[in-house]
Coordinates of all heavy atoms in Angstrom, one line a residue:
G313 N 3.2 -17.6 -37.5 CA 2.3 -17.5 -38.7 C 0.9 -17.7 -38.3 O 0.1 -18.1 -39.2
N314 N 0.5 -17.5 -37.1 CA -0.8 -17.6 -36.6 C -1.8 -16.9 -37.5 O -1.6 -15.7 -37.8 CB -0.9 -17.1 -35.2 CG -2.4 -17.0 -34.7 OD1 -3.0 -16.0 -34.8 ND2 -2.8 -18.1 -34.1
P315 N -2.9 -17.6 -38.0 CA -3.8 -16.9 -39.0 C -4.5 -15.6 -38.5 O -4.6 -14.7 -39.3 CB -4.8 -18.0 -39.2 CG -4.7 -19.0 -38.2 CD -3.3 -18.9 -37.6
I316 N -4.8 -15.5 -37.2 CA -5.4 -14.3 -36.8 C -4.4 -13.1 -36.8 O -4.7 -12.0 -37.3 CB -5.9 -14.4 -35.3 CG1 -6.9 -15.6 -35.1 CG2 -6.5 -13.1 -34.8 CD1 -8.3 -15.3 -35.5
A317 N -3.2 -13.4 -36.3 CA -2.2 -12.4 -36.3 C -1.8 -12.0 -37.7 O -1.5 -10.8 -38.0 CB -1.0 -12.9 -35.5
M318 N -1.6 -13.0 -38.6 CA -1.3 -12.7 -40.0 C -2.3 -11.8 -40.6 O -2.0 -10.9 -41.3 CB -1.2 -14.0 -40.8 CG -0.1 -15.0 -40.4 SD 1.6 -14.3 -40.6 CE 2.0 -13.8 -39.0
T319 N -3.6 -12.1 -40.4 CA -4.7 -11.4 -40.9 C -4.7 -9.9 -40.5 O -4.9 -9.0 -41.3 CB -6.1 -12.0 -40.5 OG1 -6.0 -13.4 -41.0 CG2 -7.2 -11.3 -41.1
A320 N -4.4 -9.7 -39.2 CA -4.3 -8.4 -38.7 C -3.1 -7.6 -39.3 O -3.2 -6.4 -39.6 CB -4.2 -8.4 -37.1
G321 N -2.0 -8.3 -39.5 CA -0.9 -7.7 -40.1 C -1.1 -7.3 -41.5 O -0.8 -6.2 -42.0
I322 N -1.8 -8.2 -42.3 CA -2.1 -8.0 -43.7 C -2.9 -6.7 -43.8 O -2.7 -5.8 -44.6 CB -2.8 -9.2 -44.3 CG1 -1.9 -10.4 -44.4 CG2 -3.3 -8.8 -45.7 CD1 -2.6 -11.7 -44.6
A323 N -4.0 -6.7 -43.0 CA -4.9 -5.5 -43.0 C -4.2 -4.2 -42.6 O -4.4 -3.2 -43.2 CB -6.1 -5.8 -42.1
T324 N -3.3 -4.3 -41.6 CA -2.6 -3.1 -41.2 C -1.7 -2.6 -42.3 O -1.7 -1.4 -42.6 CB -1.8 -3.4 -39.9 OG1 -2.8 -3.8 -38.9 CG2 -1.1 -2.2 -39.4
L325 N -0.9 -3.5 -42.8 CA 0.1 -3.1 -43.9 C -0.6 -2.6 -45.1 O -0.2 -1.6 -45.8 CB 1.1 -4.2 -44.2 CG 2.0 -4.7 -43.1 CD1 3.2 -5.5 -43.7 CD2 2.5 -3.6 -42.2
T326 N -1.8 -3.2 -45.4 CA -2.5 -2.8 -46.6 C -3.1 -1.4 -46.4 O -3.0 -0.5 -47.3 CB -3.7 -3.8 -46.8 OG1 -3.2 -5.1 -47.0 CG2 -4.5 -3.4 -48.1
E327 N -3.5 -1.1 -45.2 CA -4.0 0.3 -44.9 C -2.8 1.3 -45.0 O -3.0 2.4 -45.6 CB -4.6 0.4 -43.5 CG -6.0 -0.2 -43.3 CD -7.0 0.5 -44.1 OE1 -7.3 1.7 -43.8 OE2 -7.6 -0.1 -45.1
L328 N -1.7 0.9 -44.5 CA -0.5 1.8 -44.5 C 0.0 2.0 -46.0 O 0.5 3.1 -46.3 CB 0.6 1.2 -43.7 CG 0.4 1.2 -42.2 CD1 1.5 0.4 -41.5 CD2 0.3 2.6 -41.6
A329 N -0.2 1.0 -46.8 CA 0.3 1.2 -48.2 C -0.7 1.9 -49.1 O -0.3 2.3 -50.2 CB 0.6 -0.2 -48.8
K330 N -1.9 2.1 -48.6 CA -2.9 2.8 -49.4 C -2.4 4.2 -50.0 O -1.7 4.9 -49.3 CB -4.2 3.1 -48.6 CG -5.3 2.1 -48.8 CD -6.5 2.6 -48.1 CE -7.6 1.6 -48.1 NZ -8.6 1.9 -47.1
D331 N -2.8 4.5 -51.2 CA -2.5 5.8 -51.8 C -1.0 6.1 -51.7 O -0.6 7.2 -51.4 CB -3.2 7.0 -51.1 CG -4.7 6.7 -51.1 OD1 -5.3 6.2 -52.1 OD2 -5.4 7.0 -50.0
G332 N -0.2 5.0 -52.0 CA 1.2 5.2 -52.0 C 1.8 5.6 -50.7 O 2.9 6.2 -50.6
G333 N 1.2 5.2 -49.6 CA 1.7 5.5 -48.3 C 1.4 6.9 -47.8 O 2.3 7.5 -47.1
A334 N 0.3 7.4 -48.3 CA -0.1 8.8 -47.9 C -0.1 9.0 -46.4 O 0.1 10.2 -45.9 CB -1.4 9.2 -48.5
V335 N -0.3 8.0 -45.7 CA -0.4 8.1 -44.2 C 0.9 8.7 -43.6 O 0.9 9.4 -42.6 CB -0.7 6.7 -43.6 CG1 0.4 5.7 -43.8 CG2 -1.0 6.8 -42.1
Y336 N 2.0 8.4 -44.3 CA 3.3 8.9 -43.7 C 3.4 10.4 -43.8 O 4.0 11.0 -42.9 CB 4.5 8.1 -44.4 CG 4.4 6.7 -44.0 CD1 3.8 5.7 -44.9 CD2 4.8 6.2 -42.8 CE1 3.7 4.4 -44.6 CE2 4.7 4.9 -42.4 CZ 4.1 4.0 -43.3 OH 4.0 2.7 -42.9
G337 N 2.8 11.0 -44.8 CA 2.8 12.4 -44.9 C 2.0 13.0 -43.8 O 2.4 14.0 -43.1
R338 N 0.8 12.3 -43.5 CA 0.0 12.8 -42.4 C 0.7 12.7 -41.0 O 0.7 13.5 -40.2 CB -1.3 12.0 -42.3 CG -2.2 12.2 -43.6 CD -3.7 11.7 -43.3 NE -3.8 10.3 -43.1 CZ -4.0 9.4 -44.1 NH1 -3.9 9.7 -45.3 NH2 -4.1 8.1 -43.8
L339 N 1.3 11.5 -40.9 CA 2.0 11.2 -39.6 C 3.2 12.3 -39.4 O 3.4 12.8 -38.3 CB 2.6 9.8 -39.5 CG 1.6 8.7 -39.4 CD1 2.2 7.3 -39.6 CD2 1.0 8.7 -37.9
N340 N 3.9 12.5 -40.5 CA 5.0 13.5 -40.4 C 4.5 14.9 -40.0 O 5.1 15.6 -39.2 CB 5.7 13.6 -41.7 CG 7.1 12.9 -41.6 OD1 7.8 13.1 -40.6 ND2 7.4 12.2 -42.7
A341 N 3.4 15.3 -40.6 CA 2.8 16.6 -40.4 C 2.4 16.7 -38.9 O 2.6 17.7 -38.2 CB 1.6 16.9 -41.3
K342 N 1.8 15.6 -38.4 CA 1.4 15.7 -37.0 C 2.6 15.6 -36.1 O 2.6 16.3 -35.0 CB 0.5 14.5 -36.7 CG -0.9 14.6 -37.2 CD -1.7 13.4 -36.9 CE -2.7 13.1 -38.1 NZ -3.4 11.8 -37.9
G343 N 3.6 14.9 -36.5 CA 4.9 14.9 -35.7 C 5.5 16.3 -35.7 O 5.9 16.7 -34.6
A344 N 5.4 17.0 -36.8 CA 6.0 18.3 -36.8 C 5.2 19.3 -35.9 O 5.8 20.1 -35.2 CB 6.0 18.9 -38.3
L345 N 3.9 19.1 -35.9 CA 3.0 20.0 -35.1 C 3.4 19.7 -33.6 O 3.5 20.6 -32.8 CB 1.6 19.6 -35.4 CG 0.5 20.4 -34.7 CD1 0.5 21.9 -35.2 CD2 -0.9 19.8 -34.9
L346 N 3.5 18.4 -33.3 CA 3.9 18.0 -31.9 C 5.2 18.6 -31.5 O 5.3 19.2 -30.5 CB 3.9 16.4 -31.9 CG 4.4 15.8 -30.6 CD1 3.4 16.1 -29.5 CD2 4.6 14.3 -30.8
E347 N 6.2 18.4 -32.4 CA 7.5 18.9 -32.1 C 7.5 20.4 -31.8 O 8.1 20.9 -30.8 CB 8.5 18.6 -33.3 CG 9.9 19.2 -33.0 CD 10.8 18.9 -34.2 OE1 10.4 18.3 -35.2 OE2 12.0 19.3 -34.1
Q348 N 6.8 21.2 -32.7 CA 6.8 22.6 -32.5 C 6.1 23.0 -31.2 O 6.6 23.8 -30.4 CB 6.1 23.3 -33.7 CG 6.4 24.8 -33.7 CD 7.8 25.2 -33.7 OE1 8.6 24.7 -34.5 NE2 8.2 26.0 -32.7
G349 N 5.0 22.3 -30.9 CA 4.3 22.6 -29.7 C 5.1 22.3 -28.4 O 5.1 23.0 -27.4
L350 N 5.8 21.2 -28.5 CA 6.7 20.8 -27.4 C 7.8 21.8 -27.2 O 8.2 22.2 -26.0 CB 7.2 19.4 -27.6 CG 6.2 18.2 -27.5 CD1 6.8 16.9 -27.9 CD2 5.5 18.1 -26.2
K351 N 8.4 22.2 -28.3 CA 9.5 23.2 -28.2 C 9.0 24.5 -27.6 O 9.7 25.1 -26.8 CB 10.2 23.4 -29.6 CG 11.0 22.2 -30.0 CD 11.8 22.4 -31.3 CE 12.9 21.4 -31.4 NZ 13.3 21.2 -32.8
D352 N 7.9 24.9 -28.0 CA 7.3 26.2 -27.5 C 7.0 26.0 -26.0 O 7.3 26.9 -25.2 CB 5.9 26.5 -28.2 CG 6.2 26.9 -29.6 OD1 7.3 27.2 -30.0 OD2 5.2 26.9 -30.4
A353 N 6.6 24.8 -25.6 CA 6.3 24.6 -24.2 C 7.5 24.6 -23.3 O 7.6 25.2 -22.3 CB 5.6 23.2 -24.0
V354 N 8.6 24.0 -23.9 CA 9.9 24.0 -23.1 C 10.4 25.5 -23.0 O 10.8 25.9 -22.0 CB 10.9 23.1 -23.9 CG1 12.3 23.4 -23.3 CG2 10.5 21.7 -23.7
A355 N 10.3 26.2 -24.1 CA 10.8 27.6 -24.1 C 10.0 28.5 -23.2 O 10.6 29.2 -22.4 CB 10.7 28.2 -25.6
A356 N 8.7 28.3 -23.2 CA 7.8 29.1 -22.3 C 8.2 28.8 -20.8 O 8.1 29.7 -20.0 CB 6.4 28.8 -22.6
A357 N 8.5 27.5 -20.5 CA 8.7 27.2 -19.1 C 10.1 27.5 -18.7 O 10.4 27.6 -17.5 CB 8.5 25.7 -18.9
G358 N 11.0 27.8 -19.7 CA 12.4 28.2 -19.3 C 13.1 27.1 -18.6 O 14.0 27.4 -17.7
I359 N 12.8 25.8 -18.9 CA 13.5 24.7 -18.2 C 14.6 24.1 -19.1 O 14.6 24.3 -20.3 CB 12.6 23.6 -17.7 CG1 11.8 23.0 -18.9 CG2 11.6 24.1 -16.7 CD1 11.1 21.7 -18.6
E360 N 15.5 23.4 -18.5 CA 16.5 22.7 -19.2 C 15.9 21.4 -19.8 O 15.8 20.4 -19.0 CB 17.7 22.4 -18.3 CG 19.0 22.3 -19.1 CD 20.2 22.4 -18.2 OE1 20.6 21.3 -17.7 OE2 20.7 23.5 -18.0
A361 N 15.5 21.4 -21.0 CA 15.0 20.2 -21.7 C 15.2 20.4 -23.2 O 15.4 21.4 -23.7 CB 13.5 20.1 -21.3
C362 N 15.1 19.2 -23.8 CA 15.2 19.3 -25.3 C 14.2 18.3 -25.9 O 13.8 17.3 -25.3 CB 16.7 19.0 -25.8 SG 17.1 17.3 -25.7
V363 N 13.8 18.7 -27.1 CA 12.8 17.9 -27.8 C 13.4 17.3 -29.0 O 14.1 18.0 -29.8 CB 11.6 18.8 -28.2 CG1 10.6 18.0 -29.0 CG2 10.9 19.5 -27.0
Q364 N 13.3 16.0 -29.1 CA 13.8 15.3 -30.3 C 12.7 14.5 -31.0 O 11.9 13.9 -30.4 CB 15.0 14.4 -29.9 CG 16.1 15.1 -29.3 CD 17.4 14.4 -29.1 OE1 18.4 15.0 -28.7 NE2 17.5 13.1 -29.4
R365 N 12.7 14.6 -32.3 CA 11.7 13.9 -33.1 C 12.2 13.4 -34.4 O 13.1 14.0 -35.0 CB 10.5 14.9 -33.4 CG 9.5 14.3 -34.3 CD 8.5 15.3 -34.8 NE 9.0 16.2 -35.9 CZ 8.8 16.0 -37.2 NH1 8.1 15.0 -37.6 NH2 9.3 16.9 -38.0
M366 N 11.6 12.3 -34.8 CA 11.8 11.8 -36.2 C 10.4 11.3 -36.6 O 9.9 10.4 -36.0 CB 12.9 10.8 -36.3 CG 14.1 11.2 -37.1 SD 15.3 9.9 -37.2 CE 15.4 9.7 -39.0
G367 N 9.8 11.8 -37.7 CA 8.5 11.3 -38.1 C 7.5 11.4 -37.0 O 7.3 12.4 -36.4
S368 N 6.9 10.2 -36.7 CA 5.8 10.2 -35.7 C 6.3 9.7 -34.3 O 5.5 9.3 -33.5 CB 4.7 9.3 -36.2 OG 5.3 8.0 -36.5
L369 N 7.6 9.8 -34.1 CA 8.2 9.5 -32.8 C 8.9 10.7 -32.2 O 9.6 11.5 -32.9 CB 9.3 8.4 -32.9 CG 8.9 7.1 -33.5 CD1 10.1 6.2 -33.8 CD2 7.9 6.3 -32.5
A370 N 8.7 11.0 -30.9 CA 9.3 12.1 -30.3 C 9.6 11.9 -28.8 O 8.9 11.0 -28.2 CB 8.5 13.4 -30.4
T371 N 10.5 12.6 -28.2 CA 10.8 12.5 -26.8 C 11.1 13.9 -26.3 O 11.9 14.7 -26.9 CB 12.0 11.6 -26.5 OG1 11.6 10.3 -26.9 CG2 12.3 11.5 -25.0
V372 N 10.6 14.2 -25.1 CA 11.1 15.4 -24.4 C 12.1 14.9 -23.3 O 11.7 14.2 -22.4 CB 9.9 16.1 -23.6 CG1 10.4 17.3 -22.8 CG2 8.8 16.5 -24.5
F373 N 13.3 15.3 -23.5 CA 14.4 14.9 -22.6 C 14.6 16.0 -21.6 O 14.8 17.2 -22.0 CB 15.7 14.7 -23.3 CG 15.8 13.4 -24.1 CD1 15.6 13.5 -25.5 CD2 16.1 12.2 -23.5 CE1 15.7 12.3 -26.3 CE2 16.2 11.0 -24.3 CZ 16.0 11.1 -25.7
F374 N 14.6 15.6 -20.3 CA 14.8 16.7 -19.3 C 16.3 16.9 -19.0 O 16.9 16.6 -18.0 CB 14.1 16.3 -18.0 CG 12.6 16.5 -18.1 CD1 11.8 15.5 -18.6 CD2 12.0 17.7 -17.8 CE1 10.4 15.7 -18.8 CE2 10.7 17.9 -18.0 CZ 9.9 16.9 -18.5
T375 N 17.0 17.2 -20.1 CA 18.4 17.6 -20.1 C 18.6 18.5 -21.3 O 17.8 18.6 -22.2 CB 19.3 16.3 -20.2 OG1 20.7 16.7 -20.3 CG2 19.0 15.6 -21.5
Q376 N 19.7 19.3 -21.2 CA 19.9 20.3 -22.3 C 20.0 19.7 -23.7 O 19.5 20.3 -24.6 CB 21.2 21.0 -21.9 CG 21.4 22.3 -22.6 CD 22.6 23.1 -22.0 OE1 23.5 22.5 -21.5 NE2 22.5 24.4 -22.0
G377 N 20.6 18.6 -23.8 CA 20.8 18.0 -25.1 C 21.8 18.7 -26.0 O 22.5 19.6 -25.5
P378 N 22.0 18.3 -27.3 CA 21.3 17.2 -27.9 C 21.7 15.9 -27.3 O 22.8 15.7 -26.9 CB 21.7 17.3 -29.4 CG 23.1 18.0 -29.3 CD 23.0 18.9 -28.1
V379 N 20.7 14.9 -27.4 CA 20.9 13.6 -26.9 C 21.3 12.8 -28.1 O 20.6 12.7 -29.1 CB 19.7 13.0 -26.2 CG1 19.9 11.5 -25.9 CG2 19.4 13.8 -24.9
T380 N 22.5 12.2 -28.1 CA 23.1 11.5 -29.2 C 23.4 10.0 -28.9 O 23.6 9.2 -29.8 CB 24.4 12.1 -29.7 OG1 25.3 12.2 -28.6 CG2 24.1 13.5 -30.2
D381 N 23.4 9.7 -27.6 CA 23.8 8.3 -27.2 C 23.3 8.1 -25.8 O 22.6 9.0 -25.2 CB 25.3 8.1 -27.3 CG 26.1 9.2 -26.5 OD1 25.5 9.9 -25.7 OD2 27.3 9.3 -26.7
W382 N 23.6 6.9 -25.2 CA 23.1 6.6 -23.9 C 23.7 7.6 -22.9 O 23.0 8.0 -21.9 CB 23.4 5.1 -23.6 CG 23.0 4.8 -22.1 CD1 23.8 4.5 -21.1 CD2 21.7 4.9 -21.6 NE1 23.1 4.4 -20.0 CE2 21.8 4.6 -20.2 CE3 20.4 5.3 -22.1 CZ2 20.7 4.6 -19.4 CZ3 19.3 5.3 -21.3 CH2 19.5 5.0 -19.9
Q383 N 25.0 7.9 -23.0 CA 25.6 8.8 -22.0 C 24.8 10.1 -21.9 O 24.6 10.6 -20.8 CB 27.0 9.1 -22.5 CG 28.0 8.2 -21.8 CD 29.5 8.6 -22.0 OE1 29.7 9.4 -23.0 NE2 30.4 8.1 -21.3
S384 N 24.5 10.7 -23.1 CA 23.8 12.0 -23.0 C 22.4 11.8 -22.6 O 21.8 12.6 -21.9 CB 23.9 12.8 -24.3 OG 23.7 11.9 -25.4
A385 N 21.7 10.7 -23.0 CA 20.4 10.4 -22.5 C 20.3 10.3 -21.0 O 19.4 10.8 -20.4 CB 19.8 9.2 -23.2

Side-chain angles (χ1 to χ4, degrees):
N314 172 269
I316 304 276
M318 295 296 101
T319 301
I322 294 163
T324 300
L325 297 196
T326 304
E327 284 297 294
L328 292 171
K330 260 191 189 161
D331 307 320
V335 64
Y336 296 97
R338 297 197 293 274
L339 287 168
N340 252 322
K342 286 178 213 171
L345 185 68
L346 175 67
E347 178 182 359
Q348 195 53 55
L350 292 173
K351 283 184 167 162
D352 291 347
V354 167
I359 58 165
E360 205 167 88
C362 75
V363 176
Q364 299 194 174
R365 174 190 74 98
M366 247 182 120
S368 54
L369 299 169
T371 298
V372 180
F373 287 99
F374 287 88
T375 179
Q376 199 171 26
V379 172
T380 56
D381 55 15
W382 175 245
Q383 264 187 346
S384 44

